[in-house]
């Protein structure tokens, strides 16, 4: 027999926070016994399974969320399986009458949510959904002709023109306790039982040293950024050897901080005029919005060229050795290698280096961008269903508002310009730490015999020419 008391359910997904969580706040206000559930859904059609680094993050984020819920008199129920089925079962077990969630924007997730909503309506449950994770929902921003935007600048201008960005909601004071166990409410899974953490080998030490997943960690990152480098973001964001950016990306990815909260904190500090550098930072949040806008209208952004003419591009299948050299940071180009090692060790890579490392794979090695996108998906703690493919396609030239194909990042020039003293290179490539001055940017020219560091995998001018020829062939075909 199901519980006789009517209850409600909050289904948390990419919104692992108590602050500015409309679904949670609305459910709390209702005052009914409340089940807060997270479902690990690896079964619903099309839902992209998490990579290794995001699994690690999710484990710690859920642990942190569970603690925060308990401190408010609630708890976090964990279930695994196809979400629609789990929600139906849970609603029956708990005699739920209300169901709350914050909206998601990927196609497979929207399909699941629509099915749950249809079932809820038929079954007499009230299902309510909210805007929480994007400042501008993709369908609300339209060109004059009524279509989606394809270029960032007019997109962001249109967003801001009508901008009425709401204030974030406060953390609910207390939360209703979960329904009493009557014998029908099944116990949840244990987090450890999900085995999200790596073992044999446990490669997560470098991640743990750098990151603090969860809402507290997110709040600290935001405050540290605004107290620190924000007003010099315009230049600082290009220097990988300093902490010139916010490092909020994994926190935003898992919804541990809401973009409305970030926006509000900036407005609070600068009520009259936002300094230019902070404005540049805000427009980076705009790029996040733009990527989701693109994914919403192009659901297969991770597998299909946004520009269909690129379907004819003649990629080369990378040799196993070449690909491993790129993945492991052994291409012989220090800027690329430092980035790939930063990614492997910490689950994150500086944006400037992401662009250079991606360009090297796609252009100098003529490798299909999807190969790199897949590697990033597995290794980034901020691996995001929209931003990752959109940025890979941007680098490849196949994307929306993309970098032109002929713009081929030169890793040596980038390195000399953005890491002139070699601080970043020395940190991630200890084999090069003793090279003097500028020699570190081109170690093969140093005259020093380096037993531990490889010679360049490809010749830069030659591979650049090859890439340009391949692109010309595409244009001519
Ligand atoms: P900040 O410079 O502090 O920017 C603030 C926030 O703005 C970021 O946290 C992020 O949410 C957003 N943002 C900044 N730049 C971009 C951008 N180009 N596109 C979309 N959003 C942006 N970002 C991801 O969040 N997930 C990904 O999977 C991802 N994959 C990428 C793959 C490639 C090949 C490239 C070139 C970039 C990728 N990016 C991705 C974008 C960018 O590199 C990261 O968002 C940024 O480095 C995160 O660091 P930060 O939080 O310190 O950024």
């Amino acid at each position: 027999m199901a519980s006789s008391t009517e209850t409600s359910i909050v289904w948390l997904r990419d919104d692992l926070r108590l602050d500015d969580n409309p679904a949670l706040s609305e459910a709390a206000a209702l005052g009914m016994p409340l089940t807060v559930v997270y479902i690990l859904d690896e079964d619903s059609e099309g839902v992209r399974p998490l990579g290794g680094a995001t699994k690690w993050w999710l484990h710690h984020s859920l642990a942190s969320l569970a603690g925060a819920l308990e401190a408010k008199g609630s708890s976090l129920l964990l279930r695994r399986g196809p979400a629609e089925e789990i929600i139906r079962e849970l609603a029956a077990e708990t005699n739920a009458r209300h169901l709350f969630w914050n909206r998601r924007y990927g196609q497979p997730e929207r399909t699941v949510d629509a099915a749950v909503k249809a079932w809820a309506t038929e079954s007499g449950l009230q299902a309510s959904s909210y805007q929480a994770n994007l400042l501008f929902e993709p369908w609300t921003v339209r060109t004059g002709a009524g279509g989606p935007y394809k270029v960032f600048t007019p997109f962001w201008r249109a967003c801001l023109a009508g901008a009425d960005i709401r204030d974030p909601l406060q953390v609910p004071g207390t939360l209703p306790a979960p329904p009493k166990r009557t014998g029908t409410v099944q116990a949840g899974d244990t987090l450890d039982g999900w085995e999200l953490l790596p073992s044999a080998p446990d490669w997560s030490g470098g991640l743990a040293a750098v990151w603090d997943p969860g809402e507290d960690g997110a709040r600290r990152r935001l405050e540290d950024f605004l107290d620190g480098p924000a007003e010099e973001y315009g230049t600082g964001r290009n220097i990988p050897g300093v902490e010139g950016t916010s490092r909020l990306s994994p926190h935003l990815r898992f919804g541990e901080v809401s973009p409305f909260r970030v926006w509000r904190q900036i407005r609070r500090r600068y009520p009259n005029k936002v300094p230019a550098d902070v404005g540049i930072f805000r427009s980076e949040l705009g790029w996040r919005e733009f990527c989701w806008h693109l994914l919403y209208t192009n659901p297969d952004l991770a597998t299909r060229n946004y520009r269909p003419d690129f379907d004819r591009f003649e990629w080369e299948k990378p040799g196993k050795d070449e690909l491993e050299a790129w993945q492991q940071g052994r291409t012989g180009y220090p800027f690329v290698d430092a980035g790939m090692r930063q990614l492997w060790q910490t689950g994150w890579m500086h944006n400037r280096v992401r662009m250079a490392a991606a360009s090297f794979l796609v252009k100098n090695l003529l490798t299909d961008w999807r190969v790199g996108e897949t590697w990033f998906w597995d290794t980034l703690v901020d691996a995001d269903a929209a931003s990752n493919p959109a940025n890979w396609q941007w680098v490849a030239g196949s994307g929306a508002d993309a970098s032109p194909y002929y713009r081929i990042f030169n890793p040596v020039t980038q390195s000399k310009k953005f890491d002139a003293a070699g601080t970043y290179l020395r940190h991630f490539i200890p084999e090069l730490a003793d090279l003097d001055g500028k020699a570190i940017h081109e170690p093969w020219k140093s005259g020093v015999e380096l037993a531990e560091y490889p010679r360049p995998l490809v010749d830069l001018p030659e591979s650049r020419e090859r890439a340009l020829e391949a692109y010309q062939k595409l244009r001519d075909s």
Side-chain angles (χ1 to χ4, degrees), residues 233 245-249 252 281 284-285 287-288 291 348-351 354-355 358 376 380 382-384 387-388 391-392 395:
Y233 178 77
T245 68
S246 69
R247 304 200 180 204
L248 279 173
S249 51
L252 283 162
F281 170 74
E284 293 303 324
L285 295 175
W287 272 98
R288 174 174 175 270
C291 292
W348 184 88
M349 195 196 303
H350 190 278
N351 181 59
R354 288 188 204 203
M355 293 191 288
F376 271 31
L380 277 172
D382 63 23
D384 181 272
S387 296
N388 198 39
N391 277 284
W392 271 96
V395 173

Side-chain angles (χ1 to χ4, degrees), residues 73-407:
S74 180
S75 61
L76 181 63
L77 180 71
L78 300 176
R79 291 274 168 96
R80 183 177 204 156
E84 188 190 344
E85 219 172 276
I86 302 278
I87 289 288
R88 284 175 183 228
E89 287 168 8
L90 186 61
E93 285 168 29
T94 58
N95 194 28
R97 285 287 157 266
H98 296 265
L99 183 53
F100 298 89
W101 69 71
N102 296 312
R103 286 193 280 277
R104 309 187 278 190
Y105 305 97
Q107 179 67 62
E109 292 80 8
R110 281 191 292 131
T111 304
V112 171
D113 294 355
V116 173
K117 202 161 224 173
W119 161 80
T121 309
E122 262 171 39
S123 320
L125 258 89
Q126 187 165 349
S128 311
S129 66
Y130 302 88
Q131 173 182 5
N133 295 329
L134 287 181
L135 299 168
F136 303 95
E137 295 196 295
W139 56 87
T140 63
V141 191
R142 283 288 175 261
T143 63
Y149 279 93
K150 297 177 177 176
V151 179
F152 172 72
T153 304
F155 164 81
W156 193 229
R157 204 182 296 129
C159 288
L160 296 181
D164 180 18
I165 296 176
R166 67 164 173 78
D167 279 339
L169 305 172
Q170 298 302 326
V171 176
T174 53
L175 291 169
K180 293 233 164 9
R181 289 265 156 81
T182 59
T184 57
V185 183
Q186 305 293 314
D189 297 345
T190 63
L191 193 50
D192 288 339
W194 282 0
E195 297 183 349
L196 297 170
L197 298 179
S199 59
D202 176 1
W203 41 257
S204 66
L207 276 65
V210 174
W211 300 105
D212 184 10
E215 218 174 338
D216 290 345
R219 194 174 308 116
R220 262 195 306 275
R221 280 271 180 216
L222 176 58
E223 292 310 318
D224 288 352
F225 174 67
L226 294 176
D227 288 343
E231 290 185 20
E232 275 147 34
Y233 178 77
T235 44
R237 70 176 174 149
N238 279 315
I239 316 293
V242 302
E243 284 213 15
T245 68
S246 69
R247 304 200 180 204
L248 279 173
S249 51
H251 298 289
L252 283 162
R253 153 69 184 83
F254 284 93
E256 296 167 356
V257 61
S258 113
F260 295 92
R261 174 62 67 195
V262 178
W263 202 267
R264 172 75 190 139
Q265 293 306 88
I266 293 173
R267 244 193 345 223
R268 192 188 225 155
R269 276 176 195 246
Y270 308 106
N272 300 320
K273 191 168 178 348
V274 173
D277 284 60
V278 182
I280 299 173
F281 170 74
R282 279 208 312 204
S283 72
E284 293 303 324
L285 295 175
W287 272 98
R288 174 174 175 270
E289 303 274 327
F290 183 55
C291 292
W292 279 100
H293 187 76
L294 292 175
L295 183 72
Y296 180 78
T297 36
N298 302 273
D300 43 13
L301 198 63
T303 52
R304 185 177 278 189
N305 292 307
Y306 176 90
R307 280 179 49 188
D309 52 327
F310 263 78
D311 293 350
R312 298 193 310 276
F313 194 90
E314 293 179 7
W315 302 109
E316 288 184 4
K317 193 163 166 26
K320 184 168 173 288
D321 290 350
E322 266 189 348
L323 186 59
E324 280 181 3
W326 179 77
Q327 290 172 334
Q328 295 169 1
R330 289 187 297 100
T331 67
Y333 289 102
F335 202 59
V336 172
D337 292 344
M340 297 306 291
R341 294 182 191 194
Q342 181 178 32
L343 174 61
W344 186 249
Q345 286 169 29
T346 71
W348 184 88
M349 195 196 303
H350 190 278
N351 181 59
R352 174 137 301 274
V353 198
R354 288 188 204 203
M355 293 191 288
S359 171
F360 187 81
L361 183 75
V362 169
K363 298 186 178 171
N364 299 93
L365 299 182
L366 270 187
T367 300
D368 192 326
W369 59 267
R370 283 161 277 224
V371 174
E373 198 274 345
T374 306
W375 180 252
F376 271 31
W377 180 261
D378 195 32
T379 51
L380 277 172
V381 285
D382 63 23
D384 181 272
S387 296
N388 198 39
N391 277 284
W392 271 96
Q393 294 222 44
W394 182 87
V395 173
S398 63
D401 200 3
S403 166
Y405 194 86
Y406 53 79
R407 189 192 299 162

